[in-house]
Structure formats: structure tokens, C-alpha cells
Amino acid sequence: MTIGPTRRGMLGIAASVTLATPALAAYPTQPIRVVVPWNPGGPADIVIRAVAPAMAPALGQPVVIENRAGANGAVGTQAVARASPDGHTLILANAETHTINPLIYPRLPYDAVADFQPISLIVHAPCVLLVRPEFGVNNVEEFVAKVRRQPGRFTYATWGIGSTSHLAMEALSRQAKLQMLHVPFTGGAPASTALVSGQVDAAFLNAGPAEALARDGKVKILAVGGPQRLPLLPDVPTLAERSLPVNAATWFGLLGPAKMPEDAVRRIASAVVEGLKSPAVQELFRAQAVIPDAHGPEAMRVFIAEDVTNRTDLVRDLDIRLE
């Protein structure tokens, strides 16, 4: 599945959504709350805090952010599933909350399909493979060769068991026949700190923060785990270019509780399109190496279903089960 942005996706949602109809006059009647089920300061938080003020003019109300972290995103996501479906409470979802969690939690406290109304994708967020500089490799081929020579010796950090970063390294390890030790952390920031301090040898981390660390000489980026090179890292090859096509990316998008009014869904989706046109948002997204892609409600529903299908075999083979 290609996860990059498509011009058709942007134009399709823009064409299918109307901003002004009599039915929309009463909505929204108060600020719209977006729950971010992760700690402040991470990629999800940065994305929505950039887009939210740019959405507000199209909605006529402020968009406020509430961080509710815990259980790989399940705490905040459950809260939105139980919220009133009046369009004033939304979730900033990603691959963990709506693709991976349903595969790894036997008793997940929400139904990722039945409890939610997709509204709009916002961005795709590729990860990159990076190592500590002292690891002594300059490219993917050297990395693979070194790890193969000493199976089980080297370590990699992730932002949690079953996270995008975990599945990406496991997918690479299977394709390249590597054996490494997994060291899970509670988020991308502590995983980055562990890599920079030399506690671990490698990691898949979000491209924007990784580029900043590499610019300061604190890490070395070996490859992009997405379908195409990134404008922020034009000289860094993709893993697919090295015959290792690994899906090392997440996505962020808005969903609301099931049974939201259709007019509210369309108005929010249209506001996302308008927000992504902001020059300030576009500049920040370039710096963060995230790729805008405002697919609307139905396209988002299909995208999430495809993402589940694409990750199911790996999760099943790894036999990840969390309580």
C-alpha cells in the first residue's frame, strides 16, 4: 500500500465538502476538543497544535487540545469513544490507536471500527533508521553486515511494545535476517535519549526529530522507512531502494465518536483541508518531515482497514499480546 499523499485525495475531499449549508448553522456551538492520547511535545502533539488554529476560522470556534496519555494511546481513545457524538470531542488517532492496538490487545476498551466515525487523515509520518555515531556504520548494508556477524549482541530502542517503531525494526530484522535485543521505552523522547546517550545501538524514530539530532552529530541516519525519499533528507535512501521494503511510518488523523452528525463530519473535514493550506502549517510540516494528506471520511475508513490488513501478519507472527 502506498502511504504517501495523493493530489486526488486532497482535491477529492475539497470537492466533496461544502462549508455553508443551512443545516450547519448551529454547529459548532462551543470549542472543539481534540484529545491527543500521547504526552505533550511528541509528533502527534506538534501536528495537531499546528493545524488546530488554522482550522478555527473555518469552524468559527477554537480547537483546543487535551493530552491524555496511557496504555499505548488506549486511555485517551477510550475517552473519546464514550464521549457525546455531537462533534465537539474528537481523537487525534494514529496507527497505534486504530491499527495496531486492536491487533495486540485482546480486551481493548474500545472498538476501533464500531465506536468511531472517521473524519479526515491529516499527515503521514515516516520514520528513519538511525544508529549512534559510535556504532561505526555508514549505510544500511554495513548495518546489516555488522548485526549479522554478532547475532543477539546489539540493541534497539522503541517507543513501546507493539508500537510503529517496534514493528518496523521487527520487519527489517525478518527481511534482513537480523537478531537484535528490543529495549522498549514509554515514548519517542526517552527512546531518542537512550540512543543519543549510547544506551542502545539503533532505532526507528520519526524523521523530523531524527534529522535535528543528526544535524547536531548525535545520531547517524541510514535510511527512510517510507515509499519515497523525504525533502528534508534528500540524500538519505529509502529501505526499499536497498531491497528492504519496510513500512516504518505512522499517520495522524481525526475521528469522532460513532453516530456523529454527517454535517459536523463534513465541516470538520473541510476545516482540515483549509488548515493544511496555511503557509505556517506547511513550513512546520516540512521541518517535521510529515506529509500532508487530507483524505476525507470514507477514504480514511478504507485507509485504516488497509493498514490493519498490511500489519496483521507481522503482529500475528510476533505473537504480541498485551493486557
Side-chain angles (χ1 to χ4, degrees):
M1 176 183 70
T2 300
I3 63 169
T6 64
R7 187 169 182 269
R8 181 185 303 172
M10 290 289 291
L11 295 179
I13 179 60
S16 66
V17 174
T18 55
L19 281 173
T21 67
L24 297 181
Y27 174 84
T29 60
Q30 62 193 55
I32 294 171
R33 179 172 61 111
V34 177
V35 174
V36 178
W38 312 101
N39 291 321
D45 203 50
I46 291 171
V47 164
I48 193 60
R49 289 184 188 274
V51 175
M55 293 171 58
L59 293 166
Q61 288 282 350
V63 179
V64 298
I65 311 304
E66 177 185 334
N67 295 90
R68 297 190 65 174
N72 210 29
V75 172
T77 307
Q78 178 187 16
V80 175
R82 295 178 176 178
S84 170
D86 60 8
H88 291 98
T89 302
L90 311 176
I91 182 74
L92 183 73
N94 71 350
E96 274 90 356
T97 61
H98 279 71
T99 299
I100 300 171
N101 280 358
L103 298 173
I104 67 176
Y105 285 95
R107 290 184 290 275
L108 192 65
Y110 60 86
D111 187 312
V113 176
D115 290 345
F116 294 92
Q117 167 61 56
I119 298 173
S120 178
L121 283 172
I122 300 176
V123 298
H124 300 283
C127 296
V128 292
L129 173 64
L130 56 160
V131 295
R132 56 186 178 86
E134 300 79 12
F135 195 64
V137 300
N138 297 302
N139 52 52
V140 173
E141 290 81 2
E142 292 178 1
F143 173 79
V144 168
K146 181 168 183 172
V147 175
R148 279 179 178 170
R149 283 196 299 270
Q150 296 178 288
R153 173 181 175 181
F154 302 114
T155 57
Y156 71 92
T158 73
W159 60 75
I161 297 172
S163 65
T164 304
S165 56
H166 179 202
L167 297 186
M169 190 65 83
E170 288 294 339
L172 175 62
S173 296
R174 284 169 176 258
Q175 290 190 39
K177 296 179 173 57
L178 309 177
Q179 294 181 34
M180 301 182 70
L181 299 177
H182 178 205
V183 184
F185 291 86
T186 57
S192 298
T193 299
L195 183 63
V196 169
S197 65
Q199 297 177 51
V200 295
D201 300 304
F204 271 102
L205 297 175
N206 292 99
E211 188 275 337
L213 294 174
R215 199 184 330 126
D216 292 338
K218 296 179 179 179
V219 299
K220 186 175 292 185
I221 299 175
L222 302 183
V224 175
Q228 59 195 26
R229 294 195 184 197
L230 300 174
L232 187 66
L233 299 165
D235 297 325
V236 177
T238 67
L239 284 168
E241 291 176 54
R242 299 297 186 256
S243 300
L244 294 165
V246 172
N247 177 14
T250 190
W251 48 267
F252 299 114
L254 293 175
L255 296 92
K259 300 181 181 179
M260 274 181 61
E262 182 178 350
D263 288 342
V265 172
R266 291 188 176 185
R267 186 157 185 177
I268 298 167
S270 183
V272 171
V273 172
E274 293 302 309
L276 293 182
K277 294 177 182 178
S278 162
V281 170
Q282 293 174 8
E283 182 178 352
L284 183 140
F285 282 4
R286 282 192 294 269
Q288 291 294 317
V290 295
I291 304 167
D293 192 8
H295 278 16
E298 291 309 313
M300 186 182 189
R301 189 185 302 277
V302 171
F303 172 84
I304 293 174
E306 291 177 346
D307 199 33
V308 172
T309 298
N310 291 339
R311 298 181 193 266
T312 295
D313 287 347
L314 178 60
V315 173
R316 182 188 59 207
D317 291 347
L318 293 173
D319 194 26
I320 301 173
R321 289 289 184 273
L322 299 179
E323 297 297 329

